[in-house]
Amino acid sequence: MANIAKKYFNEEIDRLNSMNHRHDALSKSARNLNLLALRGELAPVFHRETEIANIQRMMLRRTKPNALLVGVAGCGKTAIAEALATHIANQRVVWLYEVAKAEREYDRALSKCETDPATGELINPPVRKEVPKPPLCDAVIYDLPINSMVAGTKYRGDFEERLNQILADCKRDSNIILFIDEVHMMYGAGKAEGSCSMDQALKPAMARAEVRIIGATTNDEVAILRQDKALARRFSEIEVRPLSGEAAIDTATSILADYEKFHNVSVANVTAEQILEMVNYHIGGVFPNSFIDVVDEAMSGARFDGKTSINFADIKATIGRMTGRIIL
């Protein structure tokens, strides 16, 4: 990606900004994840290629193109949706570059062609190279929080009107994909006398593929969604398991480097694997959530104290503060 001309990034950012303006109702309630990805505002995600590929396949279905990420809290379900947005945004930039490159190569070859004096036609004219567009290359993922949908809807019909405006945006532009975190909350959301809830309003559109949705919920809370069997049938579930083993260590190393860059704080005399072992032993929890909490707090504490690096003792002190125990 480093060799791709900046102009193609800017071209895609302009397209996404224009899309936000066209879909005013949606952009007021949701975040354009593709745009955030190109701006570098989303954290990198590692070792989730299988889940990302599974979502892409589901989004290409003719009927019920809706995916449901199910896993324990903190395993990285939201990060997978953000990683998909990053993948799509970068893929489109590369495609734009390859199309322009193929066009330049064709123009150069065309300029070198000789003309037949008798007929005036080109001798051995070049063939324009077709660069196939990758699947979902034009897709744009919007992160739609349910609380933003409900907020400010004081009167009967306000919520339904807002939701219908967003559905209208999705119907006009088939490239829109909605990501709904804590998707179980839409069961009964916005329900009032004389109006339908969010799940009831979405079911017909989901069945007709007028809207594509990626939902995320926990193993426990997915039971709430399954209370409505018709709604549950409209989703294809993807199990998201916490990373472990070498994948967890590799991801921890990458996360540590990313947080070093963000905080401008280096880590001395301690590896990501050592930190991960300490977190697992003293805190437990789900990777990468607990690991990120420790690293982020240790580095923010260093910044607060005016330090430019942290060491093994700083990690132990951070875990001690978080657990209320003395870590020897």
Side-chain angles (χ1 to χ4, degrees):
M1 292 297 293
N3 296 326
I4 304 298
K6 184 70 175 176
K7 62 176 288 190
Y8 302 106
F9 281 96
N10 293 335
E11 183 178 328
E12 180 61 7
I13 287 173
D14 290 342
R15 182 183 82 97
L16 295 172
N17 280 322
S18 175
M19 193 170 183
N20 283 350
H21 290 306
R22 289 199 311 274
H23 305 299
D24 185 58
L26 181 59
S27 60
K28 282 180 179 178
S29 301
R31 300 184 306 151
N32 187 321
L33 293 184
N34 293 47
L35 187 59
L36 295 179
L38 290 181
R39 289 174 176 170
E41 297 179 25
L42 298 181
V45 179
F46 309 94
H47 292 285
R48 290 301 189 185
E49 292 80 10
T50 299
E51 290 85 352
I52 292 171
N54 286 340
I55 297 174
Q56 288 180 292
R57 279 193 288 269
M58 291 176 186
M59 292 298 105
L60 293 172
R61 287 186 54 168
R62 181 178 181 180
T63 59
K64 298 189 291 188
N66 309 295
L68 181 62
L69 301 173
V70 182
V72 295
C75 68
K77 298 182 293 295
T78 303
I80 290 173
E82 294 178 349
L84 175 60
T86 302
H87 171 75
I88 292 172
N90 290 337
Q91 178 180 253
R92 181 173 169 83
V93 171
V94 172
W95 177 75
L96 290 172
Y97 170 78
E98 292 295 336
V99 169
K101 180 181 176 182
E103 197 62 29
R104 289 194 301 270
E105 291 174 353
Y106 175 78
D107 289 340
R108 282 197 296 268
L110 194 62
S111 65
K112 295 177 181 178
C113 277
E114 297 180 357
T115 304
D116 188 328
T119 63
E121 296 180 354
L122 294 175
I123 301 174
N124 297 323
V127 178
R128 182 180 268 106
K129 179 184 176 182
E130 295 293 334
V131 181
K133 182 179 286 189
L136 298 179
C137 184
D138 297 328
V140 179
I141 301 177
Y142 279 89
D143 178 11
L144 180 64
I146 293 178
N147 58 353
S148 72
M149 292 288 299
V150 180
T153 54
K154 296 187 294 184
Y155 302 105
R156 185 174 67 186
D158 284 355
F159 175 83
E160 196 170 0
E161 181 181 357
R162 182 178 296 179
L163 181 57
N164 285 336
Q165 289 173 346
I166 289 175
L167 287 177
D169 283 342
C170 294
K171 290 176 185 177
R172 283 197 303 270
D173 193 334
S174 61
N175 292 317
I176 293 174
I177 297 174
L178 298 181
F179 170 63
I180 304 178
D181 202 3
E182 307 293 343
V183 70
H184 60 275
M185 292 175 58
M186 77 178 189
Y187 181 74
K191 179 67 175 176
E193 184 179 352
S195 64
C196 64
S197 59
M198 185 174 183
D199 57 302
Q200 296 299 321
L202 284 176
K203 277 194 294 187
M206 292 171 67
R208 294 191 295 265
E210 294 174 346
V211 59
R212 289 184 288 180
I213 295 176
I214 302 170
T217 187
T218 65
N219 292 328
D220 296 328
E221 291 165 325
V222 71
I224 300 174
L225 199 68
R226 290 173 180 160
Q227 292 180 44
D228 187 334
K229 294 181 179 179
L231 178 62
R233 283 200 307 270
R234 284 159 172 75
F235 283 104
S236 298
E237 293 189 15
I238 298 174
E239 183 182 4
V240 180
R241 298 180 179 178
L243 295 175
S244 60
E246 290 297 322
I249 294 171
D250 184 46
T251 301
T253 303
S254 301
I255 289 172
L256 192 62
D258 185 51
Y259 274 80
E260 281 182 306
K261 182 179 179 181
F262 177 83
H263 287 287
N264 197 24
V265 173
S266 61
V267 180
N269 302 320
V270 59
T271 65
E273 184 175 0
Q274 290 172 319
I275 298 174
L276 183 59
E277 289 177 354
M278 290 182 65
V279 170
N280 289 339
Y281 182 80
H282 294 288
I283 298 179
V286 178
F287 181 83
N289 188 63
S290 301
F291 178 83
I292 290 174
D293 284 345
V294 170
V295 169
D296 200 12
E297 184 164 332
M299 291 186 178
S300 62
R303 289 175 61 188
F304 180 78
D305 295 333
K307 298 164 60 177
T308 58
S309 67
I310 58 173
N311 54 31
F312 199 73
D314 295 316
I315 296 295
K316 290 196 295 184
T318 299
I319 294 176
R321 287 196 304 271
M322 294 176 69
T323 60
R325 300 195 299 266
I326 298 175
I327 308 299
L328 299 176

